[in-house]
């Protein structure tokens, strides 16, 4: 019941924000704006789906933003004409595998070496940013491969970008993983009480590593949607994206303390973040103030999570 109430609350917040901008921002009510919001939120939302599993364990992933950029650069290496120029059927799995590799490194650093998730993923964030600049020569990469661009910007359904369909499909996959598989069950168990989970016979190191690998795969899909929309990769971008990812997860009702996660809430959280951004832009609010508003929203979400956990403990 608490989970259902949380979903209702988050969805009601999205509706309220949308109605506010319909009134306050000229032309915000156009259907094309709603589609644009969903499309723009797709890459952040997809990465947030993976981050939901990480945060459910009580961990954190600060490398998703620059990691996405590095994976996008590698997509350019595999698929761009000036580089390896592999067929999409070969290059695309390599892109996804590279994202999984990044997640594996994070998972091993945390599970095997015992590094705190904050430190391990902070280091990966810096490494990923540096490698993206080194591999690309600090220059933008154009991916002219039409099949690759079609993945994100094509329209299997007329008027609806494929990125939206992929976001929806991956959200269903994430929901199934969280609610119907051992991966989700153990992620929540580890977040609730890692020591008790270990004593019950669960290989905590293995499953925690698999959680980070899963997050890396979702980062790879986010990179595909981000770079495939325009067929363009800018290696200096991605810094700060991880904050939007974490914000979407927390706003959606996943607890930073671990043990509770909500995939539907994460999707709505990503939509809230993008709706705020789009609405403030259309109101003519300066980008600096957009960051202020976003920060306040994140603070409110974290405060609500703290209050909710205190009430749950009291009960």
């Amino acid at each position: 019941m608490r989970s259902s109430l949380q979903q209702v609350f988050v969805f009601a917040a999205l509706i309220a924000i949308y109605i506010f901008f319909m009134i306050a921002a000229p032309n915000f009510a156009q259907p094309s704006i709603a589609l644009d919001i969903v499309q723009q939120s797709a890459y952040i939302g997809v990465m947030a789906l993976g981050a939901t599993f990480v945060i459910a364990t009580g961990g954190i992933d600060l490398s998703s933003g620059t990691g996405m950029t590095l994976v996008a650069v590698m997509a350019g290496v595999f698929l761009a004409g000036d580089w390896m120029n592999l067929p999409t059927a070969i290059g695309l799995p390599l892109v996804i595998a590279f994202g999984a590799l990044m997640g594996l490194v994070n998972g091993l650093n945390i599970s095997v070496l015992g590094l705190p998730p904050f430190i391990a993923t902070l280091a990966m964030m810096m490494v990923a940013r540096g490698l993206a600049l080194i591999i690309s020569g600090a220059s933008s990469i154009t991916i002219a491969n039409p099949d690759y661009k079609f993945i994100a910007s094509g329209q299997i359904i007329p008027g609806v970008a494929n990125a939206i369909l992929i976001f929806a499909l991956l959200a269903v996959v994430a929901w199934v993983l969280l609610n119907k598989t051992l991966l989700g069950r153990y992620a929540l168990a580890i977040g609730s009480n890692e020591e008790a989970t270990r004593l019950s016979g669960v290989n905590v190191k293995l499953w925690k590593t698999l959680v980070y690998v899963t997050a890396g795969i979702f980062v790879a899909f986010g990179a595909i949607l981000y770079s495939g929309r325009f067929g363009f990769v800018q290696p200096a971008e991605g810094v700060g994206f991880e904050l939007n990812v974490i914000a979407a997860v927390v706003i959606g009702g996943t607890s930073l303390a671990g043990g509770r996660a909500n995939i539907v809430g994460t999707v709505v959280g990503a939509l809230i973040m993008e709706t705020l951004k789009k609405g403030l832009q259309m109101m003519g609010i300066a980008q600096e103030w957009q960051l202020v508003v976003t920060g306040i929203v994140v603070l409110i979400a974290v405060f609500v999570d703290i209050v909710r956990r205190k009430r749950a403990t009291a009960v």
Side-chain angles (χ1 to χ4, degrees), residues 52-158:
T52 301
F53 290 86
V54 170
I55 295 177
T57 67
I60 200 73
D61 186 0
L62 299 178
S63 65
S64 56
T66 56
M68 182 209 73
T69 303
L70 176 57
V71 174
V73 167
M74 293 308 299
V77 170
F78 294 138
L79 296 162
D82 295 336
W83 297 74
M84 297 175 67
N85 199 24
L86 297 172
T88 304
I90 298 176
L92 195 61
L94 289 176
V95 173
I96 297 172
F98 191 85
L101 177 62
M102 288 181 51
L104 177 62
V105 173
N106 278 334
L108 292 176
N109 285 337
I110 293 165
S111 300
V112 178
L113 298 184
L115 298 179
F118 182 90
I119 299 301
T121 59
L122 177 64
M124 176 59 76
M125 178 182 74
M126 294 185 286
V127 169
R129 185 181 186 188
L131 287 177
L133 292 169
I134 292 169
I135 294 171
S136 65
S139 300
S140 59
I141 300 175
T142 299
I143 308 176
N145 187 315
D147 293 333
Y148 183 78
K149 294 171 66 175
F150 181 80
I151 295 172
S153 58
Q155 297 183 0
I156 295 176
I157 299 176

Side-chain angles (χ1 to χ4, degrees), residues 41-285:
S41 66
Y43 68 94
I44 291 292
V46 166
M47 292 192 292
L49 294 174
T52 301
F53 290 86
V54 170
I55 295 177
T57 67
I60 200 73
D61 186 0
L62 299 178
S63 65
S64 56
T66 56
M68 182 209 73
T69 303
L70 176 57
V71 174
V73 167
M74 293 308 299
V77 170
F78 294 138
L79 296 162
D82 295 336
W83 297 74
M84 297 175 67
N85 199 24
L86 297 172
T88 304
I90 298 176
L92 195 61
L94 289 176
V95 173
I96 297 172
F98 191 85
L101 177 62
M102 288 181 51
L104 177 62
V105 173
N106 278 334
L108 292 176
N109 285 337
I110 293 165
S111 300
V112 178
L113 298 184
L115 298 179
F118 182 90
I119 299 301
T121 59
L122 177 64
M124 176 59 76
M125 178 182 74
M126 294 185 286
V127 169
R129 185 181 186 188
L131 287 177
L133 292 169
I134 292 169
I135 294 171
S136 65
S139 300
S140 59
I141 300 175
T142 299
I143 308 176
N145 187 315
D147 293 333
Y148 183 78
K149 294 171 66 175
F150 181 80
I151 295 172
S153 58
Q155 297 183 0
I156 295 176
I157 299 176
V160 180
N162 291 343
I164 297 175
L165 302 181
I166 293 173
F167 184 20
L169 176 61
L170 291 177
V172 173
V173 171
W175 186 91
V176 172
L177 287 175
L178 182 66
N179 296 284
K180 302 296 182 181
T181 69
L182 289 176
L183 179 70
R185 185 182 306 170
Y186 288 155
L188 293 171
I190 291 169
S192 296
N193 192 322
E194 182 172 336
E195 183 61 17
T197 303
R198 185 184 66 81
L199 293 175
S200 67
V202 176
N203 189 335
V204 170
K205 291 182 178 180
L206 172 63
W207 287 101
K208 190 181 287 188
T209 300
L210 290 176
V211 164
Y212 281 90
V213 171
T214 301
I217 292 172
F218 278 97
V219 166
F221 276 106
I224 292 168
L225 297 182
Y226 182 74
S227 60
R229 184 176 183 187
F230 299 109
F232 185 82
V233 179
Q234 175 54 259
E237 291 184 349
V239 178
F241 285 8
E242 66 280 348
L243 301 180
N244 291 332
V245 169
I246 295 170
V249 177
V250 175
I251 290 172
T254 296
S255 175
L256 282 171
R260 183 175 63 250
N262 191 324
I263 293 297
V264 176
T266 295
V267 173
V268 178
L271 293 175
I272 287 176
M273 294 293 293
E274 187 59 35
T275 300
L276 282 170
K277 177 181 175 181
K278 190 71 173 180
L280 292 171
Q281 285 177 347
M282 296 185 69
M283 287 180 64
I285 304 298

Side-chain angles (χ1 to χ4, degrees), residues 281-303:
Q281 285 177 347
M282 296 185 69
M283 287 180 64
I285 304 298
Q287 186 176 6
E288 306 88 78
W289 286 104
Q290 294 177 32
L291 294 173
V292 171
V293 172
T294 301
I296 291 173
V297 170
V298 174
L299 284 174
I300 293 173
V302 174
F303 176 74

